[in-house]
Amino acid sequence: MDGDKTLKRLSLYMFLIMAVMICFVVALEHRIKPGPDREEIEKQQLMQEGTEQVGLPSPTEAPPNVEAVSQGGHAEETEVWELLQLLQHTKMEELVPELGKKSILVKKPDGPCEYEIKEDLLNHRFSFCVTGEAFLTTASVLRVEKETFYYGELSEGEFLTEFGVLNLEEDGKKVSEISFLPDGYYVQKVTERDDYYIIDLLEYKEVYDKIVVLDAGHGGSDPGAGAENYKIKESKLALTMMLYLKEMLEENTDIKVLCTRTTDVKLELYQRVELALGTDADLFISFHCNASESKSKNGTEVIYNKLQGSEDAFNSRSFALICQRNIVEALGTKSNGISDRQDLHIVRRATMPVVLLEVAYLSNANDLAKLKDDANLRAVAASIYDSIMEAYEEMGEEE
């Protein structure tokens, strides 16, 4: 019996010794490392300060106004919080009312820096290039929508569908090109602060009262119709007339002119019409030239969408009639009238008054002679300029 008691006592002593050792190890680890939630608590405190300043509920009561997305443990997270602290110092209640509905904040690199915007309008992409003494990272970028701040990797439902940073050195300077693919077509308005940039993304109609989209048909590997063994191409003639019109509108009006192409490149049909749809353009005009196996066929025709605004006083048909009359008067061609072509993609999909101009026939000697004269191409452009002015007058009367 004494032996059994001795064994029980030894077992108890060993259990007590192990418990003391475990407590010692835990205490030692706690002394060496900060509390496991200390960093998160500091971040939550920072977020709560920001939400209180702009009058938003605290993070414990509702989703915070900073939506943290994991950076996979990268050191750049520190830079994100530095930017947030920077914003705290500028008083967020003063900053938020200055922001648009959708904004991007970019932290400036240390030292002197400058920026440049490069835009790929047709694909509604743009790049914000910052040149300075240090590189930027994705963590240098905050996105703001409805007073909610996002950082790090993109979250589902954000107004950006892609973004990334490309760093390179040019002439001894560090260049960070931050590329963005928003969820639509926007005008970029940049405001420069001491330590960061604000890029507001604005709807085109928020910025411009009048918008016209011009399209030069064909292009690049798709020359369209041709004459004289394709020394004369429809794509080149269309571009020339369109550029003359663009110049006239920009010099003499306050109309915002957007072009599907300004060089000899091939575009997809959907790209052409999406530009007009995405910017909520008032008018959509596509330049073309005609051709036929019959060399006797000649004249001017304007194609329109009879379904567009069929119940409106001014619509695609109204615009087509104006353009047809003015081109024939300017060029002295035969009038072939106007026609609805629902089989043509850009005509069918357009929701604004749209016209596709078949100016003249490359396959007819008389029409071709007119098209080879640059003065006539300018005259066609001027006739469409007059048509646009008349269209806006009629649309204004309709309102």
Side-chain angles (χ1 to χ4, degrees), residues 164-184:
V165 181
L166 174 65
N167 289 319
L168 51 93
E169 290 201 20
E170 292 182 354
D171 300 325
K173 294 184 178 180
K174 299 183 185 299
V175 179
S176 296
E177 182 172 342
I178 311 172
S179 58
F180 300 99
L181 177 61
D183 57 3

Side-chain angles (χ1 to χ4, degrees), residues 39-40 43-44 46-47 64-84 87 103-105 137-145 148-156 158-160 163:
E39 183 178 357
E40 187 62 30
K43 292 180 179 180
Q44 291 293 334
L46 176 58
M47 290 190 292
N65 72 322
V66 177
E67 189 161 309
V69 182
S70 172
Q71 287 281 324
H74 295 310
E76 287 89 344
E77 282 195 26
T78 304
E79 187 174 357
V80 172
W81 288 105
E82 286 177 359
L83 181 51
L84 288 173
L87 296 179
S103 301
I104 300 167
L105 306 183
T137 69
T138 55
S140 309
V141 180
L142 291 175
R143 291 89 64 191
V144 189
E145 183 175 14
T148 299
F149 287 69
Y150 301 88
Y151 78 90
E153 297 176 4
L154 293 176
S155 300
E156 185 176 353
E158 284 193 54
F159 61 87
L160 292 180
F163 99 99

Side-chain angles (χ1 to χ4, degrees), residues 21 34 41 57 65 83 85 142 164 179 241 245-246 248 258 268 287 314 320 353 390 394:
M21 290 179 66
I41 290 171
N65 72 322
L83 181 51
Q85 289 167 353
L142 291 175
S179 58
M241 289 183 284
L245 176 57
K246 175 179 182 290
M248 293 173 188
L258 301 173
E268 300 296 335
F287 284 85
F314 186 87
E390 192 172 338
E394 294 199 17

Side-chain angles (χ1 to χ4, degrees), residues 75-117:
E76 287 89 344
E77 282 195 26
T78 304
E79 187 174 357
V80 172
W81 288 105
E82 286 177 359
L83 181 51
L84 288 173
Q85 289 167 353
L86 188 65
L87 296 179
Q88 294 297 103
H89 295 159
T90 64
K91 296 185 179 180
M92 291 179 72
E93 75 272 16
E94 296 177 5
L95 171 64
V96 171
E98 295 181 15
L99 301 177
K101 297 175 185 176
K102 300 176 181 180
S103 301
I104 300 167
L105 306 183
V106 179
K107 181 184 176 183
K108 287 184 175 181
D110 294 336
C113 60
E114 55 186 19
Y115 75 89
E116 175 189 9
I117 288 185

Side-chain angles (χ1 to χ4, degrees), residues 97-341:
E98 295 181 15
L99 301 177
K101 297 175 185 176
K102 300 176 181 180
S103 301
I104 300 167
L105 306 183
V106 179
K107 181 184 176 183
K108 287 184 175 181
D110 294 336
C113 60
E114 55 186 19
Y115 75 89
E116 175 189 9
I117 288 185
K118 299 177 181 178
E119 189 173 23
D120 177 6
L121 179 62
L122 207 61
N123 296 301
H124 55 88
R125 291 178 177 271
F126 72 96
S127 296
F128 190 74
C129 303
V130 180
T131 302
E133 297 178 359
F135 288 130
L136 300 179
T137 69
T138 55
S140 309
V141 180
L142 291 175
R143 291 89 64 191
V144 189
E145 183 175 14
K146 297 178 182 178
E147 299 182 356
T148 299
F149 287 69
Y150 301 88
Y151 78 90
E153 297 176 4
L154 293 176
S155 300
E156 185 176 353
E158 284 193 54
F159 61 87
L160 292 180
T161 57
E162 292 178 21
F163 99 99
V165 181
L166 174 65
N167 289 319
L168 51 93
E169 290 201 20
E170 292 182 354
D171 300 325
K173 294 184 178 180
K174 299 183 185 299
V175 179
S176 296
E177 182 172 342
I178 311 172
S179 58
F180 300 99
L181 177 61
D183 57 3
Y185 295 83
Y186 296 100
V187 179
Q188 301 94 36
K189 176 189 172 186
V190 180
T191 304
E192 186 171 354
R193 295 294 187 87
D194 290 340
D195 300 297
Y196 57 94
Y197 299 102
I198 302 172
I199 309 170
D200 288 320
L201 302 187
L202 306 176
E203 302 282 350
Y204 269 79
K205 279 297 186 180
E206 291 182 74
V207 181
Y208 305 106
D209 292 330
K210 299 175 181 179
I211 302 172
V212 170
V213 171
L214 305 180
D215 173 50
H218 305 281
S221 60
D222 173 22
E228 299 178 0
N229 294 321
Y230 271 91
K231 291 179 181 178
I232 299 173
K233 300 176 183 177
E234 177 186 1
S235 57
K236 177 65 182 301
L237 292 171
L239 182 61
T240 300
M241 289 183 284
M242 189 210 74
L243 290 175
Y244 284 151
L245 176 57
K246 175 179 182 290
E247 180 183 15
M248 293 173 188
L249 289 170
E250 290 178 340
E251 287 184 355
N252 301 291
T253 74
D254 60 351
I255 297 172
K256 178 60 178 178
V257 181
L258 301 173
C259 299
T260 56
R261 70 181 180 96
T262 55
T263 58
D264 187 24
V265 295
K266 181 181 178 180
L267 304 176
E268 300 296 335
L269 292 175
Y270 78 87
Q271 292 178 299
R272 301 172 190 267
V273 70
E274 285 298 331
L275 179 60
L277 295 172
T279 57
D280 195 17
D282 303 313
L283 301 169
F284 183 23
I285 302 160
S286 184
F287 284 85
H288 288 259
C289 295
N290 226 329
S292 172
E293 291 183 1
S294 171
K295 294 184 178 181
S296 63
K297 210 166 187 179
N298 66 96
T300 299
E301 178 184 5
V302 175
I303 296 169
Y304 72 100
N305 180 355
K306 74 176 182 180
L307 301 180
Q308 188 282 319
S310 56
E311 297 180 359
D312 298 334
F314 186 87
N315 51 34
S316 182
R317 185 177 186 277
S318 309
F319 192 31
L321 287 168
I322 295 171
C323 293
Q324 175 73 8
R325 181 190 72 230
N326 288 340
I327 295 174
V328 169
E329 288 180 2
L331 202 54
T333 48
K334 172 188 171 185
S335 176
N336 292 328
I338 65 173
S339 61
D340 170 59
R341 291 282 302 275

